[in-house]
Amino acid sequence: MSIRRSSAVPALALAAALGSVLAAGSAPASAAEKGATKERCFGIAMAGKNDCAAGPGTTCAGTSKSDHQANSWKYVPAGTCTKTASKTSPTGFGQLTEFEPKPAKGG
């Protein structure tokens, strides 16, 4: 009596392994792999849309209470922060550090 081994199982395993290697090789590179860097930009996030640091009494991401809050930040591509508009910043643009907001007009 002879034992027959199915050659389909090893072939299927080989095909699956090869497929996963090929799929991994074709996946898009992450931003870090492409050399893109990000920086924290204070004063540009809309209310509830910050990435982190939203002042006392808040936990982190998505907790800013107002648009352009001076102590909340959002990640932006490096080099773009100080070119992004901010209604609360003394310069009118995002800042790389937390800042004191300029006084509101009319009061």
Side-chain angles (χ1 to χ4, degrees), residues 71-90:
N71 61 352
S72 67
W73 55 264
K74 191 151 187 74
Y75 276 122
V76 297
T80 64
C81 178
T82 57
K83 298 173 188 164
T84 304
S86 171
K87 293 180 180 181
T88 60
S89 169

Side-chain angles (χ1 to χ4, degrees), residues 15-97:
L18 183 57
S20 66
V21 168
L22 290 174
S26 65
S30 71
E33 292 170 334
K34 291 181 181 179
T37 58
K38 298 223 176 223
E39 62 190 4
R40 293 177 181 184
C41 189
F42 288 82
I44 65 164
M46 297 293 110
K49 303 288 184 180
N50 62 306
D51 287 329
C52 207
T58 61
T59 54
C60 201
T63 57
S64 58
K65 304 275 188 228
S66 61
D67 290 350
H68 305 279
Q69 191 169 319
N71 61 352
S72 67
W73 55 264
K74 191 151 187 74
Y75 276 122
V76 297
T80 64
C81 178
T82 57
K83 298 173 188 164
T84 304
S86 171
K87 293 180 180 181
T88 60
S89 169
T91 65
F93 297 97
Q95 302 291 309
L96 297 174
T97 59

